[in-house]
Amino acid sequence: MTNKQTHTQELTPKFHPELTPSLEELEAQERRLVFRQFTYDDAWALGSLLVDLARERQAPVAIDIHRAGQQLFHAALPGSAPDNDAWIDRKRRVVERYGSASYLVGARFRAKGTTFEESSRLDPDVYAAHGGSFPITVEGVGVIGAVTVSGLPQLQDHRFVVEALEQYLSD
């Protein structure tokens, strides 16, 4: 096992990277993780929760929350790099365009036997259907923004965001 593999397992010990979630599981996450409202205070609290979880795990991530085209929260933790910000932008654009999690969008293309890059006809320098960006959905309104993490392998980025949303919405 390489040092990177050991480090990754320590960051997310309860995750099983070999178990790729089904489309049904990913779609169920989106139906379940819905806000009643999403305010500036919610963005700060959710972003702070993500930062706390990342610090506990020494995760080298950048975290971003956008609502209606406005960046409400951003943090870069030790080990992250400017490339993480570029990935955040590309993954967030997928959520904004498709109204679904960036990982789910990529999984839908894979389920059709192709890839996002091959079949979306979108510039891969602008859009990335890789895990880590999740829609901020408000009851009765729909998708109003995205919470995005970059720095871990894509499935772990996705699961990290989902874990934080589950924790935040259960409080």
Side-chain angles (χ1 to χ4, degrees), residues 9 26 31 50-51 57 62 64 69 76 89 94 108 127-128 163-164:
Q9 287 176 350
L26 295 168
R31 286 189 302 273
L50 281 157
V51 167
R57 299 169 190 186
D64 182 87
D89 290 342
V94 167
R108 286 178 175 151
Y127 295 90
E163 176 189 351

Side-chain angles (χ1 to χ4, degrees), residues 17-96:
E18 69 280 0
L19 301 177
T20 303
S22 67
L23 289 177
E24 294 78 19
E25 182 181 345
L26 295 168
E27 290 166 350
Q29 289 171 347
E30 288 191 359
R31 286 189 302 273
R32 187 176 72 250
L33 299 173
V34 175
F35 291 82
R36 291 191 180 160
Q37 63 177 7
F38 193 80
T39 66
Y40 290 95
D41 290 337
D42 289 314
W44 179 260
L46 177 59
S48 297
L49 171 62
L50 281 157
V51 167
D52 290 345
L53 291 171
R55 282 185 175 150
E56 287 172 16
R57 299 169 190 186
Q58 299 177 354
V61 297
I63 299 161
D64 182 87
I65 299 175
H66 264 71
R67 181 187 70 184
Q70 182 182 19
Q71 183 178 55
L72 302 184
F73 186 93
H74 186 85
L77 279 69
S80 65
D83 281 350
N84 296 119
D85 291 331
W87 276 100
I88 282 171
D89 290 342
R90 293 168 58 215
K91 293 189 279 188
R92 186 190 73 249
R93 286 187 195 109
V94 167
V95 172
E96 292 168 347

Side-chain angles (χ1 to χ4, degrees), residues 10 13 32 48 81 84 87 90 99 101-103 131 141 156 161-162 164:
E10 290 169 2
R32 187 176 72 250
S48 297
N84 296 119
W87 276 100
R90 293 168 58 215
S102 55
Y103 189 81
V141 178
Q156 291 183 15
V161 172
V162 168

Side-chain angles (χ1 to χ4, degrees), residues 94 167 171:
V94 167
Q167 186 174 330
D171 288 342

